[in-house]
Amino acid sequence: MSTAARAWTAPGWGDAGLVSGEAVELDVRAARVGSRALALLLDVLVQLVAGLLLATLTGLVLAALPYGVLDAAMERALLTVGLVLLLVGYPVLCERFNDGRTPGKAAVGLRVVSLDGAPVGLRQSLTRALVGVAVEWPGLVLPLLSWAVGLTVMLSDARGRRLGDLAAGTLVVHTRPATRWRPVPATVPELAGWAYSLDLSRLDAKLALAVRQYLARAHGFSEPARGELARLLWRQVATVTSPPPPAGPSEVACLAAVTAERHRRARRLLAGERTLTEALWPQFRATPTESQPGRSA
């Protein structure tokens, strides 16, 4: 794989260190203490609600039994089974049948995977759950000490893994990309007239998105990868746009001019559609807050 290709496929925020079976590094982020604590809090709330429902249902069933059938031993056995279902069965079943996500992890945008990026297995989920119940949460073995050890392990591990992850060979990753909005690149003055006359009808959305992503991330690339990728993208853009640019400006400046002009035309088209919509249906007229100058979509 060329240097330019590596720079394009690895924008720099993927730190999970996952490598697929084809020896391709996966661009995903490892989950840290903050997001995992939030997911745990949501899961605990779900478990509490599920525990109340289970206790209510069990109480109704037991109330229908004849007097004397239920004794202290059966009560302890039912309580133990209920705790095992909530503390162990809940995460294992959710991770097994919901692609490595409990309800809390799904809400936060997290997922449990194997260290090679493969889906988490039943044995791995069971190991994570048992270790978690024993020494992490709720921590049946020396709770305060085990909590401190577990937190220290998560903070010291480069990928934020807890004791259960280390024992099971798993990793919790983010499923949502870390996107940062960046302003649309501006057109240099000497290219303004050329950009205004461009025919962009053959510039498809996929190529335009690739150019926009390159311009947003080019500052993180090093030479010669940055220049090679700019020339590669410009060759593709030049074949679907006309007229050719004037001599002198760099490929990056030309790409920025094309992107800025495409954005300007899109905003102009959107403004025309809004004006037509407001004329036909006044009830959809934008409020003063929505029509403040300087706001962009």
Side-chain angles (χ1 to χ4, degrees), residues 105-122:
K105 288 184 175 65
V108 180
L110 305 180
R111 177 189 174 194
V112 182
V113 297
S114 301
L115 290 179
D116 59 355
V120 63
L122 177 60

Side-chain angles (χ1 to χ4, degrees), residues 6 34 39 47 58 63 102 139-140 145 151 164 178 212 215 227 248 251 277 293:
R6 287 198 302 270
Q47 287 174 306
T58 304
T102 61
L140 302 181
L145 178 61
L151 183 59
R212 177 69 182 270
L215 294 174
E251 289 86 357
T277 300

Side-chain angles (χ1 to χ4, degrees), residues 12 31 45 69 78 86 95 138 156 181 183 236 253 272:
L45 294 178
V69 174
L78 291 175
L86 290 176
E95 291 174 4
S156 59
W181 290 101
Q236 299 179 29

Side-chain angles (χ1 to χ4, degrees), residues 245-271:
S250 64
E251 289 86 357
V252 175
C254 293
L255 291 174
V258 171
T259 302
E261 178 62 21
R262 190 173 186 271
H263 181 73
R264 185 192 68 81
R265 295 182 187 182
R267 292 189 60 184
R268 182 178 178 182
L269 179 60
L270 179 60

Side-chain angles (χ1 to χ4, degrees), residues 184-210:
V184 177
T187 304
V188 294
E190 56 266 27
L191 292 178
W194 167 75
Y196 188 81
S197 65
L198 275 175
D199 177 13
L200 303 177
S201 58
R202 294 188 297 157
L203 180 61
D204 58 79
K206 184 178 180 180
L207 179 56
L209 178 60

Side-chain angles (χ1 to χ4, degrees), residues 206-231:
K206 184 178 180 180
L207 179 56
L209 178 60
V211 174
R212 177 69 182 270
Q213 290 178 338
Y214 166 76
L215 294 174
R217 300 174 178 177
H219 66 282
F221 299 159
S222 59
E223 294 293 351
R226 179 166 49 194
E228 291 177 3
L229 188 53
R231 286 188 289 272

Side-chain angles (χ1 to χ4, degrees), residues 25-206:
E25 185 177 0
L26 303 179
D27 193 16
V28 293
R29 288 182 300 150
R32 306 298 178 183
V33 175
S35 56
R36 296 189 65 169
L38 178 58
L40 175 62
L41 177 60
L42 295 176
D43 281 328
V44 169
L45 294 178
V46 174
Q47 287 174 306
L48 289 177
V49 174
L52 291 176
L53 294 177
L54 183 61
T56 302
L57 180 61
T58 304
L60 294 176
V61 173
L62 295 178
L65 296 178
Y67 179 77
V69 174
L70 182 66
D71 56 9
M74 182 175 291
E75 289 181 353
R76 290 193 294 270
L78 291 175
L79 178 61
T80 302
V81 170
L83 290 177
V84 170
L85 287 176
L86 290 176
L87 298 178
V88 178
Y90 169 84
V92 171
L93 293 177
C94 289
E95 291 174 4
R96 182 60 179 168
F97 296 105
N98 194 31
D99 198 21
R101 297 172 296 183
T102 61
K105 288 184 175 65
V108 180
L110 305 180
R111 177 189 174 194
V112 182
V113 297
S114 301
L115 290 179
D116 59 355
V120 63
L122 177 60
R123 184 173 59 181
Q124 291 175 312
S125 294
L126 184 59
T127 301
R128 295 181 77 255
L130 291 177
V131 173
V133 171
V135 298
E136 292 176 321
W137 175 260
L140 302 181
V141 180
L142 300 175
L144 294 179
L145 178 61
S146 63
W147 293 349
V149 172
L151 183 59
T152 302
V153 170
M154 289 186 67
L155 292 176
S156 59
D157 187 81
R159 293 184 285 180
R161 292 176 295 176
R162 63 177 179 85
L163 292 173
D165 293 317
L166 296 175
T170 57
L171 178 67
V172 179
V173 298
H174 286 271
T175 59
R176 302 166 185 167
T179 303
R180 291 185 296 173
W181 290 101
R182 295 185 181 275
V184 177
T187 304
V188 294
E190 56 266 27
L191 292 178
W194 167 75
Y196 188 81
S197 65
L198 275 175
D199 177 13
L200 303 177
S201 58
R202 294 188 297 157
L203 180 61
D204 58 79
K206 184 178 180 180

